[in-house]
Structures are given as structure tokens and as C-alpha cells.
Amino acid sequence: MSSPTAVMIFAAGFGTRMGALTADRPKPMIPVAGRPLIDHALDLAAEVHLERIVINSHYKADVLHAHLAHRDLLISHEADRILDTGGGLKQARPLLNAKSAYTLNPDVTWSGPNPLRVLQDMWRPDDMDALLLCVPTARAVGRLGSGDFSTDEAGHISRGGDLVYTGAQILKLDHMDRVAETVFSLNRLWDLMISDTRASAVEYPGHWCDVGRPEGVTLAEEMMAGADV
């Protein structure tokens, strides 16, 4: 199994922590450094020359759909209810048409190499079913609280530690079959893979910013401009 040929970009969330910034638009349409967050994510995908880009939608979907109308991508619209990350990926699986795929959260920004390339270079499908891109809390700009994971000498992840999940990963999609529910979090899949010792992590070598709150916009712009972080 070679590098993934498809990416799923999660754009369906309500963005409630962004307050007034998401009153008339979904969070991926919030501008950072003069462009919507979704465009920054699409730039990353374009650089790795993927065959398929799939984006899910729900909240204020018409705004997102209009912006993406002339893009070469597919939309998995969650019309009736939001499906969470795992459920959203499960619904989009036929559109991805792949055995493995990148997933990417658009509400973050990066200062350093393309995160998808970092994952691509470290992906070993014989040894792993998921490869999560993480960053130490010291380089996680705008992050509140502790980390998510730690790794052993082989790179296998466990819960707790100072590594923050960045919202970028490679995942084998057949694990969707292990969860019967329609609405569920990717955490369900990770826990299954952790118990199988098939979930690994690679450390992102640059800085990363969480744009999950209004102040994250300024922090992201400062980081991207090369300010001290």
C-alpha cells in the first residue's frame, strides 16, 4: 500500500467557541492572513497532488458550498445532523474511494513543512493502521490544557502525555467497519487501534496553532508571519 491518494477535510462543525465570527459563516470560512482557513487547508492538499479531495459540510453549508463551487473536489453534506469526525469520515468513505486517506482539520495553521508530506514520509502501512501527526505542547500555539498522547520507542501512541494531536493523520479506512454507529468520534477508532498496537505518531518539526477560539486568529497570523512564538 503506497501513500494515500485522497484527503478528507473536516468542515462541518458549528464553531461555537468562535462566537460572533461564526454567526454568518462556518468556521473554515473565517479569514486568517487574508484568506479563509479552508483555502489554507486546500493549499496543503494541492501540494501533495492527490486524486481526491473530500470536504464535509453541515453548519452554514451554503456559504462553504458557494466558496468551493469552482474547486475540483467532492462534498459530503451532512444534511440532517452532524455526524462527528468518525461518522463524517464514514459517510464520506465512498467518495474517498481509497483504502487509506489523509484527514485534515482546517481550523489550524502551520509554520514549517507541509504536514501531509511529513506524514507521507513516515507512513509504513505494514506496521501501522493510523499515523497521527502530533506536536509537543511547547510548540502548540494557542493550545489550552495538556497534551493528548505519548509514544513509546517504536512510535506507538498511548493516551496522556505532552503530544498534541494536530488534526492531521493517515488512517486505513476499513476500520470504519468496526463501528456500527452512524455518529461517533475518531477517538473510537484510535482506541481500537491503540489496543491493537497499530496506532503511531510522528512529531511535527515546526510550530502549529489552534484557531479554535477568536484569539487564535491573531496568534495564527503572528506565527505565520514569523513572529516569535
Side-chain angles (χ1 to χ4, degrees):
M1 187 185 297
S2 58
S3 299
T5 58
V7 63
M8 170 77 175
I9 301 177
F10 292 109
F14 292 102
T16 51
R17 293 182 301 167
M18 299 301 286
L21 292 176
T22 51
D24 61 352
R25 72 191 76 188
K27 183 163 57 170
M29 287 299 297
I30 293 173
V32 171
R35 303 174 66 221
L37 282 163
I38 191 68
D39 286 359
H40 293 290
L42 288 169
D43 287 348
L44 298 175
E47 289 176 10
V48 293
H49 308 291
L50 300 169
E51 294 178 7
R52 292 193 176 213
I53 298 172
V54 179
I55 297 176
N56 68 343
S57 64
H58 178 76
Y59 176 68
K60 302 290 184 184
D62 55 333
V63 178
L64 183 66
H65 293 177
H67 180 71
L68 299 174
H70 302 293
R71 293 272 197 169
D72 183 17
L73 51 79
L74 300 169
I75 293 178
S76 176
H77 181 50
E78 299 171 15
D80 298 329
R81 56 177 173 168
I82 198 164
L83 301 177
D84 207 340
T85 48
L89 183 61
K90 188 175 185 179
Q91 175 177 288
R93 183 180 176 187
L95 298 178
L96 290 163
N97 191 32
K99 294 184 180 297
S100 63
Y102 300 97
T103 77
L104 188 63
N105 295 350
D107 57 346
V108 302
T109 61
W110 310 83
S111 177
N114 187 318
L116 302 184
R117 288 202 185 280
V118 176
L119 288 165
Q120 183 182 70
D121 290 343
M122 297 301 295
W123 176 235
R124 301 188 310 277
D126 290 341
D127 303 322
M128 55 185 68
D129 294 339
L131 179 61
L132 283 62
L133 188 60
C134 296
V135 65
T137 52
R139 288 190 271 113
V141 180
R143 170 74 175 196
L144 300 178
S146 60
D148 304 306
F149 299 106
S150 57
T151 57
D152 63 17
E153 292 182 357
H156 300 135
I157 62 172
S158 57
R159 295 283 182 177
D162 73 338
L163 292 177
V164 175
Y165 174 58
T166 63
Q169 68 170 335
I170 295 174
L171 188 72
K172 289 184 182 177
L173 299 180
D174 57 357
H175 286 277
M176 298 289 130
D177 299 332
R178 302 176 71 180
V179 180
E181 290 85 355
T182 301
V183 181
F184 63 97
S185 167
L186 282 172
N187 282 291
R188 288 281 304 280
L189 296 180
W190 292 338
D191 285 340
L192 292 169
M193 295 178 193
I194 288 170
S195 66
D196 295 339
T197 324
R198 296 287 298 180
S200 298
V202 58
E203 185 176 311
Y204 184 66
H207 285 80
W208 166 93
C209 184
D210 179 6
V211 194
R213 293 175 174 79
E215 59 270 23
V217 174
T218 300
L219 291 173
E221 291 174 340
E222 290 174 349
M223 184 192 76
M224 295 167 69
D228 290 338
V229 289

